[in-house]
Structures are given as C-alpha cells and as structure tokens.
Amino acid sequence: MSNSLMNTGISGLNAAQNMLNVISNNISNAHTVGYNRQQQILRQANGTKYNYGFVGNGVSVSSVNRAYNSFVVGQLRQSQSQNGSIKAYYNELSKVDNLLAENENSISSQLNNLFTSLNKLSSNAGNAASKQTVINDLSSLVSQFNKTELNLKNQIANINTEIVNNVDTINSYTKQIADLNQKIARLQAVSGGLEPNALLDERDQLVNELSEMIGITVTEQNGEYNISLPNGLSLVQGSSATQLSVQPSKDDPALNTIIYTHNSGATQELTSQNIASGRLNGLLTFRDGPLLEARNQLGLIALNLAERFNEVHMSGVDINGDAGEKLFDYQSPSSIANTKNQGNATAKINYNKVTDVKASDYKIEFNGSDWVVTRLSDSKQITPQVEDGKLLFDGLSIEIDGNPVAGDSFLLKPVADVASSLQLLVKDVNKFATGINDDENGNGDNRNVAKLLDIQNEKLINGTKTLNSAYNALVSYVGSETQTAKISAQSSQNITQEIYEQNQSISGVNIEEEYISMQVYMQYYQANAKIIDAATTIFDTILGLAK
C-alpha cells in the first residue's frame, strides 16, 4: 500500500513539475511575437482493482497544447490582409495629396501668377521688364509641371521596387511554411500525433505576416497548411511552394507586374483583381487607379495649356513684326506594343482635336477583323470612326501600319508624359508676340496679350473646365480619395486591433494569471511531497515491525 501511495505522490509531483515548466515557458515568452500560451492537460491514471473496488493511481500528463482558436485566427488574418491593403493605399495616396495640395508653388498658384503678369503686360505691351516677368512665370509654370509629374513617375519607380521586395518576402515566407509543414508532419508521425508547439507557433506567425502582404486562403490537411490565393492559385501545397516572380508588364514595360507560374510552365499576370487584399493589393490598386488618374489629368491640363497658348501666340507678332513662334513643346503621345504580339503591326497616335482628348489611357486589340478600343479610365468600349484607314475617337487619330494577328494589342498613352516633357521654347522678350499685325494698328499693340489673358476663362478641358478649375478638380479628387482612405484605414486598424485583442485573450500570456497558477502548482507540488513523506513514514514503520 505504501508503494502505491508513493507512486501516486510521485505522479502528482511530476505533474506539478511539468506544469511549473509550462508556466515558466509561458512567462518567458510573454513578449515573444507569435507565441501561443501553452496549457498542460492532465488525466487520471488507470485505477487498480481490489476486492472492494478500484483505487486510483494518481495522475498523468496527457499533453501540452496551445491555447489556440482557429476561427479567431482566421478572422485576424483576413482583417490583417484588408488592413495591409488600405494602409498601403492610403500611405501612397497621401503622398500625391501632399504633392498637389494648394501652396505657393502649386500649379494653381503658378497659373494665377502667370495671368496676373499677363494682365499687367496688357496695359503696357511694349515694356521689356513686364515681358520678362511673363516669361519667368511661364518658365516657373513649366518647371512645376515637370517637377509634379517627375514626382508621380518616381512613385511608380518606388512601387516597382516595393513589388519586387514584397514578392521576395512572400517567396521566403511560403518556402519557410512549406519546410515547416514537412518538419511538423514528420515530428507528429514519430511522436504519435503530439504537436510540436514551437514549430506550430513559428508557422502561424509566418502565415500571419504573409496575410498582411497578400490575401490568402488557408486550409489544414493532416497537420499541414495548404495556402492559396482567393482565386484558387496555390502558393503552398504541403511541403511544396510556388515561387512568384516579377516582370515588366506585357502591356506597359514601365510597370512591374507579378507573375504566377503554373505547373505546366504557363505564366499568368496577377492584377489587383487576382490579389484581393494585402499590401500588394493596396500598391497595385493605387498605381493603376489614383496615380494613373492624376498623371493623366495633369497631362491633359498641360496639353491644353500648351496647345492653346501656342495657337494664340503664333497668331500674333513680336516687337519686330515677326510672327509668333510656338511657346511650348512636349513629347508626342505614345503607343506601346504588347510584348506578346505575333504580327508586325505598328500604331501611331496623333491628336485630332485636343479639346476632345480625355485623361485616359486606351487599349486597342485586334479581334481578327476589327480593332476593339477600350478606354481604361472607365473600362468603356468605344466604337471608333474610320476615315482614310485611321481610327478616330476621343480627339485622337490612330494610324495602323503592318499586319496584325488576332489578339495583338497596343496601349495608347495620349497624355501621360506631356507634363514631364513640357518645355518653354520662347525665352527672348523680343520674340514674345504681344500684338496683332494689321495695316491700321501695326505690330506694337497689346491685342495678342489680351487674347492670351482670355485663356484664363476659356473652358478648354473637354469644354467644361478652365485650366485652373481642372487642376482644382484634380486636387479635390485626390483630397477626397485621401480623406476617404484615411477614414477606412483608421476603421480597418481599429477592427484589426479588436480581433487581435480577442485573440490575445485566448492565446496571449497574462503574467498575473501565470503567477497565480504558479502559486497554485507550487502548493500542489508541496502537497504531493507531503504524500511521499507519509508513504516513506509508513514504509519505515512497516520495516520496523518486521525486525
């Protein structure tokens, strides 16, 4: 009987010691990112049968499990993905908002300065100093267009770099997760199904960080995680990981795109529609949305400014009676052939009517018999007029040469690079055309200055907006989008924080609770030690009686 009592006490001591080890591990990892609180599961040992019934033989440690709720963790990952997306979108958008916002150097301010100078010049058209002020203001305006567009281009370059860095990190995560799948499966097999908690925590933390970067779906099969994109494309299947890559887009080589390679070797470009959430989604959504819109709107304003000023300036004469020259020059609209094109067709784009040009890129695709035109700003399909073999639409004229093959396409960028390439051609005050040459008034009058000044109130942009109101509309659009994104980002952060705290209440370590548990199990240990003392006393007494 004393031997049974001794074994029972020792089982309690072991259970207490194991529990104290678990508590010690919890406290040590209280601030370890990704750690899930561990808890010891006890069960009573099988009893021994006597004539009068079964007597218990103490306690045994069944397992050490993680405090883990897969449903809450799934919610947290989904929320982290959404938060990663809107946070990246807002951070990038706020840079554009700061760039365009009203200040003394903005395009709006520069336009106002220019027309103020023209107004002063109109009262004294022959004054060289006033002409110089106008030319200086024209130069400053051009510089501001260049600077603003250059900043937008730099954002594209930065996003290209971010995409590469994010994809590299994603590939690292998926490879590590696949390796951990293999290790966990092997350890569970040799241990009879016991869970290697540290490896499970490490894997879950990697999955959590992965979810912030790209929207994923996680399923568990035989202890292994299978991870895929929401559209079903697999990233991790057991111990195998699919590596993403980054390449220039087949439509526009200036933009990086994410490539998924299927088992067959076929490749697929992943867009913001394929990548439903996560940081990558926010970057792509911003780049292909507000950033592209801002570039095109800015370019459209610069185009109308240049064309109208050129038209008026060339209709006048300078102080020497010579016809006015072009004030501005800029890069011609561009056409980019899809890198997958099979034919030898080329597309040349020209302006047909500048005031009808839209702030949009276009995709034209050959269907085997006709060219299908899609305006990308609103995804609207346009039916072009065909005159002398040219496609006419939205103020553009497209001339196709060569032989296309069905599926061949071109990306048309009518205004994207106008602002960055804008340059002032007339810098000599003596060549600034202030007058209109006729027999009655000669060439020294101010009538051409008045015409230039009138441009301020002309609704040049699609017949609805002046240059200044168009720019103010762009600033308002970006500002409104930024404010909406800011509110969404804050709301998303709050939701994510709430779910995180809910998960922490389940899986996190509360040092005060662990300390209380430590006190309880120290008493438990001492009580079982007393049982062993009692068993020892009984055993010694029995030995004494036998002498």
Side-chain angles (χ1 to χ4, degrees), residues 279-299:
R279 178 171 174 77
L280 277 179
N281 170 269
L283 293 174
L284 293 174
T285 301
F286 164 75
R287 185 192 71 182
D288 301 337
L291 182 54
L292 179 62
E293 176 74 11
R295 286 192 66 197
N296 282 330
Q297 290 286 356
L298 191 69

Side-chain angles (χ1 to χ4, degrees), residues 390-415:
K390 298 177 181 179
L391 307 178
L392 305 179
F393 57 89
D394 286 358
L396 304 175
S397 173
I398 315 300
E399 183 177 352
I400 309 291
D401 289 325
N403 300 309
V405 173
D408 285 0
S409 65
F410 293 87
L411 178 67
L412 308 181
K413 302 175 78 68
V415 295

Side-chain angles (χ1 to χ4, degrees), residues 142-161:
V142 167
S143 177
Q144 191 61 33
F145 269 112
N146 296 161
K147 177 184 174 182
T148 303
E149 168 63 9
L150 180 61
N151 275 291
L152 297 179
K153 281 187 172 182
N154 285 340
Q155 269 195 276
I156 292 177
N158 292 337
I159 289 174
N160 281 342
T161 302

Side-chain angles (χ1 to χ4, degrees), residues 350-357 387 392-397:
N350 289 298
Y351 299 120
N352 186 43
K353 186 179 179 182
V354 166
T355 53
D356 287 342
V357 174
E387 293 183 8
L392 305 179
F393 57 89
D394 286 358
L396 304 175
S397 173

Side-chain angles (χ1 to χ4, degrees), residues 86 89-91 93-94 479-493:
I86 189 61
Y89 180 83
Y90 168 66
N91 286 343
L93 187 58
S94 62
S480 176
E481 286 290 313
T482 303
Q483 184 61 27
T484 300
K486 180 180 180 180
I487 294 171
S488 297
Q490 186 60 58
S491 175
S492 177
Q493 178 63 38

Side-chain angles (χ1 to χ4, degrees), residues 28 33 53 57 64 118 130 143 153 222 228 239 260 266 327 335 341 356-357 405 428 445 470 486 497 517 530:
S28 298
V33 177
N57 286 313
V64 177
L118 283 171
S130 296
S143 177
K153 281 187 172 182
N222 299 326
S228 61
S239 60
Y260 182 91
L327 268 178
S335 169
N341 284 359
D356 287 342
V357 174
V405 173
D428 184 347
D445 64 14
K486 180 180 180 180
Q497 183 63 29
S517 294
K530 291 293 185 183

Side-chain angles (χ1 to χ4, degrees), residues 21-223:
N21 285 336
V22 171
I23 293 171
S24 173
N25 191 55
N26 285 339
I27 293 174
S28 298
N29 288 282
H31 300 292
T32 300
V33 177
Y35 180 79
N36 289 277
R37 178 173 54 86
Q38 296 180 5
Q39 50 194 6
Q40 178 175 263
I41 308 300
L42 302 177
R43 67 176 179 84
Q44 61 175 319
N46 293 330
T48 301
K49 181 179 179 299
Y50 294 94
N51 293 332
Y52 48 81
F54 286 87
V55 176
N57 286 313
V59 66
S60 64
V61 178
S62 176
S63 63
V64 177
N65 297 337
R66 299 185 302 161
Y68 184 83
N69 187 308
S70 59
F71 177 74
V72 175
V73 170
Q75 285 187 315
L76 179 60
R77 287 174 184 155
Q78 185 177 17
S79 182
Q80 285 175 329
S81 286
Q82 295 296 336
N83 188 52
S85 174
I86 189 61
K87 184 178 179 181
Y89 180 83
Y90 168 66
N91 286 343
E92 294 297 327
L93 187 58
S94 62
K95 296 175 186 176
V96 180
D97 186 40
N98 293 334
L99 176 66
L100 299 179
E102 282 292 331
N103 58 62
E104 61 182 11
N105 295 318
S106 72
I107 288 174
S108 179
S109 297
Q110 297 291 345
L111 280 170
N112 289 333
N113 291 342
L114 171 61
F115 288 116
T116 299
S117 298
L118 283 171
N119 187 49
K120 291 180 180 178
L121 180 61
S122 66
S123 62
N124 190 0
N127 186 280
S130 296
K131 289 181 185 179
Q132 187 62 57
T133 300
V134 170
I135 290 176
N136 290 344
D137 287 340
L138 285 168
S139 181
S140 296
L141 177 60
V142 167
S143 177
Q144 191 61 33
F145 269 112
N146 296 161
K147 177 184 174 182
T148 303
E149 168 63 9
L150 180 61
N151 275 291
L152 297 179
K153 281 187 172 182
N154 285 340
Q155 269 195 276
I156 292 177
N158 292 337
I159 289 174
N160 281 342
T161 302
E162 280 289 297
I163 289 174
V164 172
N165 293 339
N166 277 255
V167 167
D168 286 345
T169 303
I170 288 170
N171 287 337
S172 174
Y173 285 164
T174 55
K175 180 67 169 59
Q176 291 178 71
I177 292 168
D179 290 343
L180 285 169
N181 272 343
Q182 188 176 36
K183 291 178 182 178
I184 290 168
R186 184 171 61 249
L187 288 174
Q188 287 180 327
V190 300
S191 65
L194 296 179
E195 296 185 340
N197 293 324
L199 294 183
L200 294 177
D201 284 350
E202 183 180 352
R203 184 178 65 178
D204 278 324
Q205 181 60 24
L206 286 170
V207 174
N208 289 345
E209 293 179 8
L210 177 64
S211 70
E212 292 183 19
M213 306 189 75
I214 189 169
I216 55 175
T217 300
V218 182
T219 57
E220 186 173 358
Q221 183 178 16
N222 299 326

